[in-house]
Amino acid sequence: DTGVSQDPRHKITKRGQNVTFRCDPISEHNRLYWYRQTLGQGPEFLTYFQNEAQLEKSRLLSDRFSAERPKGSFSTLEIQRTEQGDSAMYLCASSLGGAGSRSYEQYFGPGTRLTVT
Amino acid sequence: AQTVTQSQPEMSVQEAETVTLSCTYDTSESNYYLFWYKQPPSRQMILVIRQEAYKQQNATENRFSVNFQKAAKSFSLKISDSQLGDTAMYFCAFMKQSGNTPLVFGKGTRLSVIA
């Protein structure tokens, strides 16, 4: 078990550019979550998947944001036409899913820190 | 909608002492889960302890324990025998028991353990 991994760890981009982040969950986990964390705040939910199905999107996820999990394994989060307000840490988490004991516990990756200049 | 409030932005404790971090929440749900997560500086979020709302017994994990008061909607974390490695941001989080749903986090408490 290698844990949740995210790539890249840091991204600096200019305003107006598009960026894409990748998350690889723990291999047997069927739930995958994206959160955004700004300085001094707790993580805020963006969207989540069960296998390849996107189940819910937060109102924070404007139409410039899109997320996919095409084969129910890794996921990508794309931000188009980045704005300075998009600067944040983007966190990915996964959980086993199902009804078993502790199946709901979420395990987090190290995050991708985005800086928009 | 659920909300989680952590009223202590920063706290400090001497090494080997005990410290309690506060958390209150608001929900109309009767069944749910509560969590404390630890985020060390420049490191990833780690689950410290969890509590199922239907359980009256307070959860304990080694030096970490909670005081869960369901009626008061309070969920505090006690760290005993504090260690330098406990220095981190601590986040209280709520999850509906409908299961495997997004976490709702508080703003966090920055804990510094002083030698």
Side-chain angles (χ1 to χ4, degrees), chain A residues 31 33 35 37 40-43 45 48 95 97-98 102-106 108-110, chain B residues 33 35 37 39 42 44-45 47 50 52 61 91 95 99-103 105-107:
Chain A
R31 295 267 178 152
Y33 305 80
Y35 295 87
Q37 184 178 22
Q41 302 293 319
F45 163 70
Y48 80 111
S95 66
R102 296 196 168 189
S103 63
Y104 51 82
E105 290 182 356
Q106 294 184 21
F108 282 79
Chain B
Y33 302 105
F35 305 87
Y37 278 87
Q39 189 175 40
S42 301
Q44 64 198 76
M45 195 92 67
L47 177 62
R50 66 180 171 99
E52 294 92 342
E61 291 284 347
F91 293 98
M95 178 191 286
N100 289 286
T101 55
L103 292 162
F105 285 89
K107 290 188 175 182

Side-chain angles (χ1 to χ4, degrees), chain B:
Chain B
Q2 290 73 36
T3 59
V4 177
T5 302
Q6 294 179 249
S7 58
Q8 304 151 315
E10 294 188 25
M11 294 190 72
S12 61
V13 62
Q14 292 286 335
E15 199 175 6
E17 296 295 308
T18 295
V19 64
T20 298
L21 308 183
S22 300
C23 172
T24 58
Y25 58 94
D26 189 27
T27 183
S28 58
E29 305 275 328
S30 56
N31 293 312
Y32 46 87
Y33 302 105
L34 294 165
F35 305 87
W36 279 97
Y37 278 87
K38 169 185 177 181
Q39 189 175 40
S42 301
R43 295 181 61 187
Q44 64 198 76
M45 195 92 67
I46 302 166
L47 177 62
V48 174
I49 197 166
R50 66 180 171 99
Q51 174 81 42
E52 294 92 342
Y54 64 85
K55 290 186 177 179
Q56 292 187 341
Q57 186 174 5
N58 290 323
T60 299
E61 291 284 347
N62 301 315
R63 298 182 295 108
F64 298 88
S65 62
V66 299
N67 183 3
F68 172 49
Q69 301 289 328
K70 190 173 184 180
K73 296 181 181 175
S74 170
F75 183 61
S76 61
L77 174 70
K78 185 171 80 171
I79 306 174
S80 303
D81 185 25
S82 298
Q83 300 175 0
L84 296 177
D86 295 333
T87 293
M89 284 291 291
Y90 286 82
F91 293 98
C92 179
F94 172 100
M95 178 191 286
K96 295 179 186 179
Q97 200 184 355
S98 49
N100 289 286
T101 55
L103 292 162
V104 177
F105 285 89
K107 290 188 175 182
T109 296
R110 184 179 303 280
L111 176 67
S112 298
V113 180
I114 302 165

